[in-house]
Amino acid sequence: MNKRIKSAKYLSNFESIFKCPVCNSSMKVFQLKSLICLNNHTFDFAKQGYINLTVHPVKTKYGKDLFEARRKLIIEYGFFKPLSQAIAETISKHTVNKETISLIDMGCGEGSHLSQISDIVNSEYSKIVTGVGIDLSKEGVSVAAKNYFDKIWAVADLANTPFADKQFDVILNILSPSNYTEFNRLLKAEGLVIKIVPQSGYLKELREVIFDEPEKQSYSNADIVKRFNENIQLVDRSSLCYTVELDNPGIQTLIQMTPLSWATAEEQFKTLLKADSTKVTVDLEILIAKKE
């Protein structure tokens, strides 16, 4: 059975969560090839196992190399492992009475966050997780579908998601833009939004190399937090700060992964790229909201 058929079979167990992104009608899996709505709008499964539910083709700045580098950093170097653990613990704490959880990662990239968090929630907290990952980047979703089978992966617009109302217990939004109208629409009663934003020390070792101005060497998330508070009911927030030691290939992978390096000449990274190893700071804030 190839990936396209496997994914179509898996998704057919959850087809009721979808709505057509064109006309909002309900959808069904058709002949293990497509997702089709009542008005015959048809979206085919890709051979990698994801489904593209965008209405217009979108080109993003994020390429396949960036997503492969991000996956390597997460899986091989455990770059976000403490974060995955903290998120899984938060999910468990706020869903004590639930044995099954529907979890969507809005802006899933190459899927490693969703995969790791789902695994921890399942293995350490004995909850059955239905995981859905969406991103506007076809390249990211393709990498996700290639590496993680037991999830639903879709290319989709975060401002017009292809899901019916009130389908998810938890929305993850990790270092990614938010659409609070959609968050509120998609959440079940008492559903959770877990949003991760950088704090001032996030990747400071890279920022100090890239930026000469002290104000750009640190980062403020004040505007993001303010907007979160204005749009959704904040119930808790916490900080998470740790360092990860990277060897030389790890340093190169980090530089390849981060958009911070896009407008930077390689010359600026010369010293860092020659280092045998370096410690990198991961400084994040976890914002938790609950739907009333």
Side-chain angles (χ1 to χ4, degrees):
M1 208 189 295
N2 64 31
K3 278 202 164 177
R4 182 193 281 127
I5 291 171
K6 274 186 180 175
S7 295
K9 252 184 135 84
Y10 181 74
L11 189 145
S12 64
N13 298 311
F14 307 101
E15 60 191 9
S16 64
I17 72 173
F18 288 90
K19 74 170 176 75
C20 177
V22 179
C23 67
N24 295 330
S25 65
S26 60
M27 306 189 85
K28 294 265 184 199
V29 173
F30 179 69
Q31 292 185 344
L32 298 180
K33 287 180 184 173
S34 311
L35 199 56
I36 188 165
C37 83
L38 291 174
N39 294 313
N40 288 325
H41 297 119
T42 303
F43 301 86
D44 295 333
F45 286 89
K47 66 179 180 185
Q48 295 90 340
Y50 67 87
I51 190 155
N52 190 334
L53 288 157
T54 52
V55 179
H56 307 290
V58 179
K59 184 77 182 151
T60 70
K61 293 180 288 184
Y62 300 95
K64 188 182 174 188
D65 289 350
L66 178 144
F67 289 112
E68 293 284 12
R70 184 181 296 175
R71 182 172 185 273
K72 185 176 181 183
L73 207 65
I74 293 171
I75 300 303
E76 292 182 26
Y77 290 92
F79 198 76
F80 290 111
K81 195 173 179 186
L83 176 64
S84 295
Q85 203 73 46
I87 291 173
E89 196 176 310
T90 299
I91 291 170
S92 172
K93 179 180 157 189
H94 287 276
T95 58
V96 272
N97 298 321
K98 290 182 186 288
E99 291 177 8
T100 60
I101 293 169
S102 49
L103 175 64
I104 184 169
D105 187 351
M106 305 271 275
C108 67
E110 42 59 64
S112 298
H113 287 305
L114 177 63
S115 179
Q116 285 196 339
I117 292 159
S118 300
D119 286 350
I120 297 168
V121 171
N122 179 253
S123 61
E124 294 186 20
Y125 300 105
S126 304
K127 293 176 187 288
I128 297 163
V129 180
T130 301
V132 177
I134 67 167
D135 202 288
L136 204 48
S137 169
K138 188 165 76 174
E139 289 78 8
V141 174
S142 176
V143 173
K146 186 177 89 177
N147 289 292
Y148 307 112
F149 164 65
D150 58 342
K151 304 280 179 287
I152 294 165
W153 302 110
V155 182
D157 184 354
L158 271 67
N160 177 32
T161 61
F163 302 105
D165 296 356
K166 299 175 183 171
Q167 292 300 321
F168 296 99
D169 297 302
V170 182
I171 290 174
L172 297 178
N173 188 229
I174 301 172
L175 302 171
S176 182
S178 302
N179 187 294
Y180 295 107
T181 304
E182 282 295 85
F183 288 4
N184 280 307
R185 185 181 72 76
L186 294 177
L187 273 186
K188 293 179 184 177
E190 302 206 336
L192 281 184
V193 173
I194 302 174
K195 181 170 177 63
I196 310 301
V197 293
Q199 294 206 104
S200 60
Y202 185 62
L203 306 185
K204 67 180 182 182
E205 295 79 5
L206 280 189
R207 289 178 179 279
E208 285 162 5
V209 169
I210 295 167
F211 301 116
D212 296 326
E213 310 92 323
E215 63 273 14
K216 286 189 179 176
Q217 289 177 358
S218 66
Y219 170 89
S220 170
N221 64 23
D223 289 346
I224 296 173
V225 176
K226 181 171 179 275
R227 192 160 169 261
F228 187 88
N229 271 320
E230 286 168 354
N231 285 279
I232 205 156
Q233 181 67 46
L234 180 75
V235 293
D236 201 3
R237 61 196 291 186
S238 61
S239 296
L240 180 67
C241 188
Y242 57 93
T243 58
V244 180
E245 184 141 1
L246 296 177
D247 58 12
N248 184 269
I251 295 165
Q252 293 181 44
T253 302
L254 175 67
I255 289 168
Q256 194 179 5
M257 173 202 99
T258 176
L260 280 175
S261 64
W262 286 354
T264 309
E266 197 171 303
E267 188 68 24
Q268 281 180 263
F269 289 120
K270 205 155 94 177
T271 310
L272 199 54
L273 284 166
K274 283 182 178 172
D276 291 335
S277 68
T278 192
K279 285 188 174 173
V280 178
T281 304
V282 180
D283 186 16
L284 301 166
E285 184 162 25
I286 303 171
L287 304 173
I288 302 157
K290 199 165 221 179
K291 188 173 180 182
E292 293 173 338

